[in-house]
Amino acid sequence: MQYSFNIVDLQARAFGLTTIEDFKKLATGELTPDVNAKNPKPVNIPMMASRRLSGGCRMAVDIGIELCKTHEVDAVIYSSSTGELEHNYKVLLAAAQKQDPSPTDFTMSVHNTGVGNFTILGKKKIPSSSICAGTDSLLMAFVDAVAMLKNGLKKVLVVDYNVEISDFFKNYLPKDFPSYPNAVAFVIEDGDGVTVTSKVKTTDHICMTQSLDFVLNYLKGTKEFTLDGTKLSYDIKVK
């Protein structure tokens, strides 16, 4: 499978970093990632609404709204390989302890929490979808977005995020699986600035942070790089 698109604009949040300039420094090695860094408060979400969201979702909704301040998008796609594990764990823990779960944890535990809160808080009455494809979630979200563009939409917002993972789940995950919250967002349009070609994997390596790896390679100016998923690898070429 092969598809192409242009990146009009992007935003990222992780390691306490908020600006594209900081992420460029991270890409070139001028900054090192601090997984324990405290991420700043959102600027586009009311405090009461912010308190209900997980850390990763909070950043994802915030940067999605931020990009829509300068870009009129026709549709939005949110993707995540972790989903809302923060809230899921609290719901399961309450059930195991024979207690009633928190209403907030219950209502915010579904996978479309991110895109739902974006459309509500951002007041966007546009087509939306939520993608969950494990470690391949970002690249599958791009597939969905390109299909929308080929059907006549002009610009699509794609947001990928992951939440903080509790120690309970870490016991079942590879040691290098990222447990810190992070979020990236792209406004894309039809074009051939970025070409993605999928192929069958020939190694056991899994790229656990597809979205951050994509952003860092893109900001560094890397013209060709590969992202590994679960069963597929993706060759990325940037003009």
Side-chain angles (χ1 to χ4, degrees), residues 131-201:
I131 300 292
C132 178
T135 55
D136 302 77
S137 292
L138 172 66
L139 275 299
M140 293 301 103
F142 281 148
V143 171
D144 198 15
V146 169
M148 291 179 177
L149 294 172
K150 295 301 182 183
N151 277 278
L153 299 188
K154 299 300 182 183
K155 292 181 181 179
V156 177
L157 174 66
V158 177
V159 184
D160 185 88
Y161 75 97
N162 293 298
V163 302
E164 185 174 356
I165 298 176
S166 68
D167 290 338
F168 176 85
F169 290 111
K170 290 178 184 178
N171 296 326
Y172 303 93
L173 296 171
K175 291 182 179 180
D176 60 344
F177 197 98
S179 59
Y180 49 86
N182 56 83
V184 301
F186 308 84
V187 174
I188 71 170
E189 64 182 9
D190 192 25
D192 61 356
V194 177
T195 299
V196 180
T197 305
S198 62
K199 62 184 181 182
V200 177
K201 281 181 61 176

Side-chain angles (χ1 to χ4, degrees), residues 29 129 165 227:
S129 65
I165 298 176
L227 301 178

